[in-house]
PDB file of all heavy atoms in Angstrom:
ATOM      1  N   MET A   1     -42.593 -53.857  10.364  1.00 54.00           N
ATOM      2  CA  MET A   1     -42.296 -52.429  10.350  1.00 54.00           C
ATOM      3  C   MET A   1     -42.523 -51.850   8.944  1.00 54.00           C
ATOM      4  O   MET A   1     -42.155 -52.544   7.974  1.00 54.00           O
ATOM      5  CB  MET A   1     -40.774 -52.268  10.715  1.00 54.00           C
ATOM      6  CG  MET A   1     -40.313 -50.833  10.808  1.00 54.00           C
ATOM      7  SD  MET A   1     -38.568 -50.648  11.214  1.00 54.00           S
ATOM      8  CE  MET A   1     -38.574 -51.325  12.936  1.00 54.00           C
ATOM      9  N   SER A   2     -43.117 -50.688   8.920  1.00 76.00           N
ATOM     10  CA  SER A   2     -43.400 -50.065   7.605  1.00 76.00           C
ATOM     11  C   SER A   2     -42.123 -49.561   6.984  1.00 76.00           C
ATOM     12  O   SER A   2     -41.157 -49.257   7.636  1.00 76.00           O
ATOM     13  CB  SER A   2     -44.388 -48.946   7.778  1.00 76.00           C
ATOM     14  OG  SER A   2     -43.880 -47.927   8.576  1.00 76.00           O
ATOM     15  N   ALA A   3     -42.183 -49.388   5.650  1.00 92.00           N
ATOM     16  CA  ALA A   3     -40.998 -48.901   4.956  1.00 92.00           C
ATOM     17  C   ALA A   3     -40.789 -47.443   5.314  1.00 92.00           C
ATOM     18  O   ALA A   3     -41.739 -46.608   5.324  1.00 92.00           O
ATOM     19  CB  ALA A   3     -41.156 -49.068   3.435  1.00 92.00           C
ATOM     20  N   ARG A   4     -39.554 -47.077   5.593  1.00 97.00           N
ATOM     21  CA  ARG A   4     -39.267 -45.674   5.941  1.00 97.00           C
ATOM     22  C   ARG A   4     -38.237 -45.081   4.991  1.00 97.00           C
ATOM     23  O   ARG A   4     -37.452 -45.801   4.343  1.00 97.00           O
ATOM     24  CB  ARG A   4     -38.635 -45.616   7.345  1.00 97.00           C
ATOM     25  CG  ARG A   4     -39.612 -46.070   8.459  1.00 97.00           C
ATOM     26  CD  ARG A   4     -38.893 -46.126   9.796  1.00 97.00           C
ATOM     27  NE  ARG A   4     -37.744 -47.041   9.810  1.00 97.00           N
ATOM     28  CZ  ARG A   4     -36.914 -47.198  10.831  1.00 97.00           C
ATOM     29  NH1 ARG A   4     -37.041 -46.443  11.952  1.00 97.00           N
ATOM     30  NH2 ARG A   4     -35.917 -48.045  10.756  1.00 97.00           N
ATOM     31  N   ILE A   5     -38.267 -43.780   4.832  1.00 98.00           N
ATOM     32  CA  ILE A   5     -37.275 -43.032   4.078  1.00 98.00           C
ATOM     33  C   ILE A   5     -36.484 -42.192   5.069  1.00 98.00           C
ATOM     34  O   ILE A   5     -36.998 -41.307   5.693  1.00 98.00           O
ATOM     35  CB  ILE A   5     -37.896 -42.118   2.984  1.00 98.00           C
ATOM     36  CG1 ILE A   5     -38.788 -42.966   2.042  1.00 98.00           C
ATOM     37  CG2 ILE A   5     -36.825 -41.351   2.189  1.00 98.00           C
ATOM     38  CD1 ILE A   5     -39.616 -42.101   1.121  1.00 98.00           C
ATOM     39  N   ASP A  35     -43.463 -42.339   5.356  1.00 97.00           N
ATOM     40  CA  ASP A  35     -42.872 -42.406   6.691  1.00 97.00           C
ATOM     41  C   ASP A  35     -41.380 -41.966   6.550  1.00 97.00           C
ATOM     42  O   ASP A  35     -40.502 -42.785   6.212  1.00 97.00           O
ATOM     43  CB  ASP A  35     -42.944 -43.821   7.246  1.00 97.00           C
ATOM     44  CG  ASP A  35     -42.485 -43.986   8.688  1.00 97.00           C
ATOM     45  OD1 ASP A  35     -42.017 -42.917   9.241  1.00 97.00           O
ATOM     46  OD2 ASP A  35     -42.535 -45.066   9.291  1.00 97.00           O
ATOM     47  N   ILE A  57     -34.396 -39.002  14.044  1.00 97.00           N
ATOM     48  CA  ILE A  57     -33.826 -40.221  14.668  1.00 97.00           C
ATOM     49  C   ILE A  57     -32.369 -39.929  14.987  1.00 97.00           C
ATOM     50  O   ILE A  57     -31.700 -39.284  14.201  1.00 97.00           O
ATOM     51  CB  ILE A  57     -33.950 -41.437  13.733  1.00 97.00           C
ATOM     52  CG1 ILE A  57     -35.463 -41.773  13.546  1.00 97.00           C
ATOM     53  CG2 ILE A  57     -33.174 -42.617  14.283  1.00 97.00           C
ATOM     54  CD1 ILE A  57     -35.660 -42.817  12.454  1.00 97.00           C
ATOM     55  N   ARG A  64     -32.737 -49.225  14.903  1.00 94.00           N
ATOM     56  CA  ARG A  64     -32.602 -50.340  13.990  1.00 94.00           C
ATOM     57  C   ARG A  64     -33.111 -49.930  12.610  1.00 94.00           C
ATOM     58  O   ARG A  64     -34.187 -49.336  12.461  1.00 94.00           O
ATOM     59  CB  ARG A  64     -33.389 -51.567  14.454  1.00 94.00           C
ATOM     60  CG  ARG A  64     -32.807 -52.189  15.745  1.00 94.00           C
ATOM     61  CD  ARG A  64     -33.487 -53.468  16.054  1.00 94.00           C
ATOM     62  NE  ARG A  64     -32.898 -54.176  17.219  1.00 94.00           N
ATOM     63  CZ  ARG A  64     -33.236 -55.345  17.669  1.00 94.00           C
ATOM     64  NH1 ARG A  64     -34.256 -56.053  17.050  1.00 94.00           N
ATOM     65  NH2 ARG A  64     -32.630 -55.890  18.701  1.00 94.00           N
ATOM     66  N   PHE A  65     -32.372 -50.335  11.582  1.00 95.00           N
ATOM     67  CA  PHE A  65     -32.791 -50.112  10.210  1.00 95.00           C
ATOM     68  C   PHE A  65     -33.001 -51.481   9.552  1.00 95.00           C
ATOM     69  O   PHE A  65     -32.142 -52.390   9.714  1.00 95.00           O
ATOM     70  CB  PHE A  65     -31.711 -49.333   9.478  1.00 95.00           C
ATOM     71  CG  PHE A  65     -31.359 -48.028  10.135  1.00 95.00           C
ATOM     72  CD1 PHE A  65     -30.020 -47.731  10.428  1.00 95.00           C
ATOM     73  CD2 PHE A  65     -32.303 -47.128  10.459  1.00 95.00           C
ATOM     74  CE1 PHE A  65     -29.690 -46.541  10.987  1.00 95.00           C
ATOM     75  CE2 PHE A  65     -31.956 -45.870  11.038  1.00 95.00           C
ATOM     76  CZ  PHE A  65     -30.651 -45.576  11.325  1.00 95.00           C
ATOM     77  N   ASP A  69     -36.334 -50.344   4.600  1.00 97.00           N
ATOM     78  CA  ASP A  69     -36.000 -48.925   4.708  1.00 97.00           C
ATOM     79  C   ASP A  69     -35.214 -48.498   3.502  1.00 97.00           C
ATOM     80  O   ASP A  69     -34.436 -49.263   2.897  1.00 97.00           O
ATOM     81  CB  ASP A  69     -35.266 -48.600   5.995  1.00 97.00           C
ATOM     82  CG  ASP A  69     -36.101 -48.856   7.248  1.00 97.00           C
ATOM     83  OD1 ASP A  69     -37.304 -48.669   7.155  1.00 97.00           O
ATOM     84  OD2 ASP A  69     -35.514 -49.171   8.284  1.00 97.00           O
ATOM     85  N   THR A  70     -35.298 -47.217   3.183  1.00 97.00           N
ATOM     86  CA  THR A  70     -34.406 -46.500   2.212  1.00 97.00           C
ATOM     87  C   THR A  70     -33.579 -45.535   2.945  1.00 97.00           C
ATOM     88  O   THR A  70     -34.091 -44.615   3.651  1.00 97.00           O
ATOM     89  CB  THR A  70     -35.244 -45.814   1.132  1.00 97.00           C
ATOM     90  OG1 THR A  70     -35.983 -46.785   0.385  1.00 97.00           O
ATOM     91  CG2 THR A  70     -34.316 -45.058   0.179  1.00 97.00           C
TER      92      THR A  70
END
Side-chain angles (χ1 to χ4, degrees):
M1 184 180 293
S2 63
R4 298 175 297 176
I5 302 171
D35 187 355
I57 295 171
R64 291 189 176 185
F65 305 126
D69 294 329
T70 296

